[in-house]
Amino acid sequence: MKYGKTERISGIVILLALLAIFVPWLMSDPAPREERPQPTFIIEQPIETARRDVAAPQMPATINAQPSTNVASNDELDAPINASPSLPQTNQIDPPSQAATATQEPSPATNTAAQNDPIADLVAANSSSSSSQSSSASASAPASTQQGEWAVQVGSFGDASNAERLGSQLSSEGFSVFQRQRDNNLTTVLVGPYASSEDGESAMALIKQRANVQGLLVRVRD
């Protein structure tokens, strides 16, 4: 025989062990599932309220009233229209009285209120500042001299046409403009020269005020 007695006994023992494990598991009832809580609905009782009778709405009396319409008759419609306008009657206008046209003299209280008015003081200050600015704008530029050591540099341009345009603008404002060529192919536009740095600073302020160009005070002579 292929298998001996020992192997047969081992096979029978394994089968019996498997039967002892699986048969009770197959014959037993499944474990009960956890029941989910069901939602509960609570119906509340209606609230008792006092009832009262409401009067029926009444139609307004203006609805029943017949509208008054002025309809022109046929004779009025057929009448020709006067195309020439009538002149106004000026005799119905009363001439103004002397009391209304007379100028009233200001009272002392009005003068005191005008003196204590901060808005009037602010307007006066603004007018004085504007007048001072206009006077400074009308001031002439400092006189330039060929032997001057100071000048105002207003720009350096790689395109010569831009330098010419700025120079023409400043010349029209009354400034003495000259140009210098640099080694890096730039054209520098300067205003002056001036004998002192004070004249250069005054010219720089006037350039900013008139042409809106910010300059730089530089020394052009050593």
Side-chain angles (χ1 to χ4, degrees):
M1 295 180 65
K2 187 176 181 180
Y3 298 103
K5 184 176 180 180
T6 304
E7 286 81 2
R8 291 179 182 179
I9 294 172
S10 299
I12 293 171
V13 172
I14 292 172
L15 289 176
L16 292 176
L18 291 175
L19 290 175
I21 294 173
F22 287 103
V23 169
W25 178 70
L26 292 175
M27 299 301 294
S28 62
D29 295 332
R33 295 181 180 180
E34 295 182 357
E35 295 182 358
R36 295 181 180 179
Q38 298 295 329
T40 56
F41 299 96
I42 299 175
I43 300 176
E44 297 181 356
Q45 296 295 329
I47 301 174
E48 296 292 337
T49 57
R51 297 183 180 181
R52 60 179 180 177
D53 296 334
V54 179
Q58 300 293 332
M59 183 180 297
T62 56
I63 296 178
N64 295 329
Q66 295 294 333
S68 59
T69 57
N70 296 326
V71 181
S73 61
N74 294 329
D75 297 337
E76 294 178 353
L77 295 175
D78 295 338
I81 300 175
N82 187 10
S84 59
S86 59
L87 298 176
Q89 299 179 1
T90 58
N91 55 359
Q92 296 180 358
I93 303 175
D94 296 335
S97 60
Q98 296 180 358
T101 57
T103 57
Q104 298 180 357
E105 297 181 357
S107 60
T110 306
N111 294 332
T112 305
Q115 294 177 359
N116 297 331
D117 190 1
I119 299 177
D121 297 339
L122 183 59
V123 171
N126 291 334
S127 61
S128 62
S129 62
S130 61
S131 62
S132 62
Q133 290 178 359
S134 61
S135 62
S136 62
S138 61
S140 60
S144 61
T145 175
Q146 295 296 331
Q147 289 75 24
E149 299 180 358
W150 299 91
V152 180
Q153 179 178 334
V154 292
S156 297
F157 303 92
D159 190 357
S161 60
N162 294 333
E164 291 291 341
R165 187 181 301 107
L166 180 59
S168 301
Q169 178 185 357
L170 295 176
S171 297
S172 63
E173 295 292 342
F175 297 100
S176 177
V177 182
F178 65 98
Q179 299 179 5
R180 282 188 176 180
Q181 297 293 332
R182 291 189 174 182
D183 297 336
N184 52 1
N185 296 327
L186 292 179
T187 303
T188 302
V189 182
L190 299 103
V191 177
Y194 299 102
S196 63
S197 60
E198 290 78 6
D199 293 343
E201 291 177 355
S202 300
M204 184 171 58
L206 288 175
I207 292 171
K208 176 63 177 177
Q209 185 176 4
R210 294 182 184 179
N212 195 19
V213 176
Q214 182 62 48
L216 177 65
L217 186 63
V218 295
R219 185 185 292 270
V220 293
R221 292 179 184 271
D222 296 333

